[in-house]
Amino acid sequence: MIKTLLNIDENLASSIALRFSGYLNKFIPLNLYIAHVEEPDKKDHVGQGLVHQAWEEGVLASGKRLVDRMLRTENIDCPLAGRPRITVGNREEEIIYQLRSGQYKLYIEGYLNTSDPAEFFSLINTPIFTQAPCPILVAKNLSISKRCALLCADSVDPELLVKESGKILRDSNFLFDIVYFKFKENESLTFLDREEAGRHLKQTEQLLAAHNSQVEEVQVLSGTPEQVGDYLKKYALVVSTLPGRKSMRMMTLANSLASILLVK
C-alpha cells in the first residue's frame, strides 16, 4: 500500500481530491492519511500562556469540525489509515514537515483547472511542489477512465520518468499508454509514426519492459499544447516529470483536464 497524505480545506478543490482519492484506491491501494492546517490570521491576538492555549484549542476544534464535515459529506470509498491530523501554522511549512517526518510516498493536492497556464505553473512552483520528498498528484477532475498515460518528450529523462513513477504505479491496475509530444503549430492534432519520436521513446519502452510494465498503446502526437492537452482528457491520470515554466509540456499539462502525477 502507498502511504499517502491528502491535505484538505473546505472547498471544491479538496472535494475533488477526496473523491479522486477514493477512485484511485481502486487501482492503487492507498494508505490514506488526512491532514488540515489552520492558518491563523496575522491580525489575530493570541496572547500568551493560558490565553494562547485556549485560543489554539479553539482553532484546532474548528479545524476538526471542518474535516469531519468534509469527510461526512464526501463519504469516500477509501478507509483512512488513522485519525485526521489538525495543526495550526503556515500551510506549506506544515505540509512539507509532515511529508518528511511521516515518510509519505505520495501527496495529493486538489486543483480547480483553469485555462491560464500561469496559474498552474504558480501551483507547481510553490515550496510544497519543489521541496516535497515524494511524487505529487494534482487532482483536477473526477474520472471513470481505467487508463494512465506517461507523457514523454525530447526534454523528458526516460529513466527518471519510469523509475519514479514506478514507485507509485508499478503494482496498479491501470492500463498504461505512452504519449510522446512533439510541438508544432498544426491546424489539428497529427498522429506521427513511432520513428519520429527519437531514441527517448525506445528507451522509455525498454525501461518499462524491464520493470514488467506492459504498454497498451504508444502515440506520437504533433500539435499545440491545447490540442495535446485536450487529447489527454481521456485518461484518469497523466504522469510527467516536473516541467519548466516556459516549456510546451508545462502548457500541455495546464491545458489537460486529466489529473496529473508529477515525479522528480
Side-chain angles (χ1 to χ4, degrees):
M1 300 182 79
I2 305 296
K3 188 175 182 181
T4 304
L5 181 67
L6 168 59
N7 186 81
I8 63 173
D9 298 298
E10 198 167 27
N11 54 36
L12 182 55
S14 292
S15 175
I16 291 172
L18 275 167
R19 295 185 188 185
F20 188 81
S21 297
Y23 182 75
L24 187 65
N25 185 59
K26 298 177 181 179
F27 299 88
I28 309 170
L30 301 178
N31 216 5
L32 185 63
Y33 292 81
I34 299 295
H36 170 70
V37 181
E38 283 283 330
E39 291 192 288
D41 192 313
K42 293 181 180 179
K43 297 179 180 179
D44 285 348
H45 177 69
V46 297
Q48 296 178 346
L50 293 176
V51 174
H52 176 83
Q53 182 178 343
W55 168 83
E56 188 168 279
E57 288 175 354
V59 173
L60 291 172
S62 175
K64 183 179 184 304
R65 288 193 295 272
L66 180 154
V67 171
D68 289 345
R69 210 161 41 236
M70 288 287 291
L71 294 176
R72 197 165 51 245
T73 299
E74 301 305 334
N75 191 29
I76 62 171
D77 187 17
C78 179
L80 301 185
R83 294 170 59 184
R85 180 176 180 180
I86 318 298
T87 56
V88 179
N90 178 278
R91 181 180 182 274
E92 293 184 336
E93 291 176 358
E94 288 290 331
I95 292 173
I96 293 169
Y97 173 78
Q98 289 187 46
L99 289 173
R100 289 175 175 168
S101 61
Q103 297 183 316
Y104 288 93
K105 303 303 181 184
L106 178 65
Y107 174 66
I108 300 177
E109 175 103 354
Y111 176 69
L112 293 181
N113 199 50
T114 72
S115 58
D116 185 359
E119 290 189 22
F120 179 74
F121 180 76
S122 293
L123 171 73
I124 66 172
N125 198 44
T126 59
I128 293 175
F129 282 73
T130 57
Q131 298 177 27
C134 62
I136 297 180
L137 193 156
V138 183
K140 286 189 173 190
N141 213 339
L142 302 177
S143 175
I144 58 172
S145 173
K146 299 178 180 180
R147 306 189 78 85
C148 173
L150 273 68
L151 183 61
C152 302
D154 293 345
S155 60
V156 175
D157 180 350
E159 188 169 355
L160 176 63
L161 178 67
V162 173
K163 179 182 177 182
E164 295 304 317
S165 64
K167 294 177 181 179
I168 305 298
L169 300 171
R170 184 172 295 123
D171 297 323
S172 77
N173 297 322
F174 280 117
L175 301 175
F176 290 98
D177 292 352
I178 296 177
V179 175
Y180 207 98
F181 170 41
K182 295 180 73 71
F183 170 70
K184 190 174 181 181
E185 291 283 359
N186 296 330
E187 290 185 4
S188 60
L189 189 65
T190 303
F191 293 79
L192 304 177
D193 293 334
R194 295 162 62 105
E195 291 73 22
E196 297 194 49
R199 61 182 177 83
H200 279 189
L201 174 56
K202 185 176 182 180
Q203 187 179 356
T204 302
E205 290 182 287
Q206 290 172 340
L207 288 166
L208 285 169
H211 286 84
N212 297 318
S213 297
Q214 184 177 353
V215 177
E216 297 289 320
E217 292 183 359
V218 176
Q219 298 289 356
V220 182
L221 304 182
S222 173
T224 65
E226 293 80 9
Q227 291 164 347
V228 178
D230 186 61
Y231 176 85
L232 293 173
K233 68 184 179 182
K234 70 178 186 177
Y235 293 102
L237 198 59
V238 174
V239 187
S240 173
T241 55
L242 272 173
R245 177 170 190 168
K246 296 183 179 180
S247 71
M248 294 297 105
R249 191 158 46 89
M250 194 284 294
M251 294 185 181
T252 299
L253 294 172
N255 279 284
S256 173
L257 292 176
S259 294
I260 298 163
L261 176 64
L262 293 169
V263 300
K264 55 183 179 177

